[in-house]
Amino acid sequence: MYVKKGFQAYKRYWEDQASFMDKSPWNLKKILKLTISNDVDGNLEELEFSNHSISREEGQLTLRVNVPYNYFELDSFELKAIELLGIDKNWLIDMSLEDSSCTHQLTK
């Protein structure tokens, strides 16, 4: 069964969009960082975020997800991302695109 929201839906959507390419669909230099209200902590369990992508920082929930290689060309990328992730706009405290500090995929 196809998952309609959550991390798997987000990942599958962007991978399907780039299925014609012979490379990873992900931009390795940027991430989408979402700061989420603690009031919705229980709602996030069903969205199946990995322990690597969600954390607590300064008392707030922080979610980091990869962005597609062409995120800057897409209209309303951030809105599409939160829709796919199953996150309500009212849950967000902050949303930003940041440089990735993860280097495990960059080294060969």
Side-chain angles (χ1 to χ4, degrees), residues 29-93:
K29 295 180 181 179
K30 290 286 183 188
I31 58 165
L32 178 62
K33 179 181 174 184
L34 304 168
T35 306
I36 303 168
S37 171
N38 288 327
D39 297 338
V40 298
D41 193 2
N43 298 357
L44 296 178
E45 288 181 26
E46 69 184 55
L47 302 177
E48 300 179 357
F49 298 116
S50 71
N51 290 337
H52 179 73
S53 62
I54 196 161
S55 62
R56 286 206 182 270
E57 295 178 9
E58 299 176 13
Q60 301 294 328
L61 290 170
T62 301
L63 174 67
R64 288 179 175 80
V65 292
N66 291 336
V67 298
Y69 71 96
N70 62 341
Y71 72 92
F72 52 87
E73 297 173 354
L74 303 171
D75 291 335
S76 304
F77 161 71
E78 291 90 345
L79 295 177
K80 183 65 176 178
I82 62 172
E83 174 190 332
L84 290 167
L85 290 167
I87 295 174
D88 190 299
K89 284 174 63 172
N90 296 329
W91 299 358
L92 294 175
I93 294 170

Side-chain angles (χ1 to χ4, degrees), residues 5-48:
K5 64 180 183 175
F7 179 72
Q8 293 302 321
Y10 176 85
K11 182 179 173 190
R12 181 173 296 160
Y13 178 84
W14 295 117
E15 288 175 347
D16 287 350
Q17 296 296 310
S19 63
F20 66 92
M21 298 180 355
D22 290 334
K23 64 178 186 174
S24 170
W26 306 112
N27 183 314
L28 300 179
K29 295 180 181 179
K30 290 286 183 188
I31 58 165
L32 178 62
K33 179 181 174 184
L34 304 168
T35 306
I36 303 168
S37 171
N38 288 327
D39 297 338
V40 298
D41 193 2
N43 298 357
L44 296 178
E45 288 181 26
E46 69 184 55
L47 302 177
E48 300 179 357

